[in-house]
Amino acid sequence: DFYSARMFIQIIRSDDICRLSDTLAFVVMPDHIHWLFSLKEGVLSSFVQRAKSFFTKAYGEAIWQDGFYDHAIRSDESLINVARYIVANPIRAGLVKSVRDYPHWDSVWLE
């Protein structure tokens, strides 16, 4: 739902403001999240657990699966192409025809 998606986006933004991460792109889907970021400090698993915990406390119930899937970007992969793939998820899922019609995404490379 709109409120829950925006709640998670606020958590992403607060992590960036606190300089824990540098978000490059994200999309909040109905049943999962894609988040391309650079971790500024700490350990990835603790960082993800922190975001899940903050959301759970704000939402009022646990909705997360245990664990998460991560993929380190290799030097031969273009960050911009990965970001495009991420923000195009709502189109591939058949939720919208254009990413402009989906409100729960952002990228530092807005075109």
Side-chain angles (χ1 to χ4, degrees), residues 8-95:
F8 192 80
I9 291 168
Q10 286 300 322
I11 292 168
I12 289 172
R13 299 285 187 225
S14 69
D15 286 342
D16 286 352
I17 290 168
C18 292
R19 300 184 188 262
L20 300 174
S21 61
D22 185 16
T23 296
L24 303 175
F26 69 84
V27 63
V28 179
M29 298 293 287
D31 62 351
H32 65 283
I33 296 158
H34 294 268
W35 187 7
L36 177 62
F37 63 90
S38 172
L39 185 60
K40 296 297 183 185
E41 64 178 61
V43 178
L44 180 60
S45 59
S46 297
F47 180 75
V48 171
Q49 180 57 40
R50 179 182 175 278
K52 287 178 172 184
S53 176
F54 279 15
F55 180 85
T56 298
K57 287 176 186 171
Y59 187 70
E61 73 178 278
I63 63 166
W64 301 104
Q65 291 179 329
D66 291 337
F68 60 95
Y69 174 78
D70 67 321
H71 173 77
I73 304 299
R74 307 280 183 248
S75 60
D76 61 340
E77 290 181 277
S78 166
L79 286 174
I80 293 173
N81 288 338
V82 172
R84 285 183 180 136
Y85 177 85
I86 287 171
V87 300
N89 267 275
I91 297 168
R92 284 192 302 280
L95 299 174

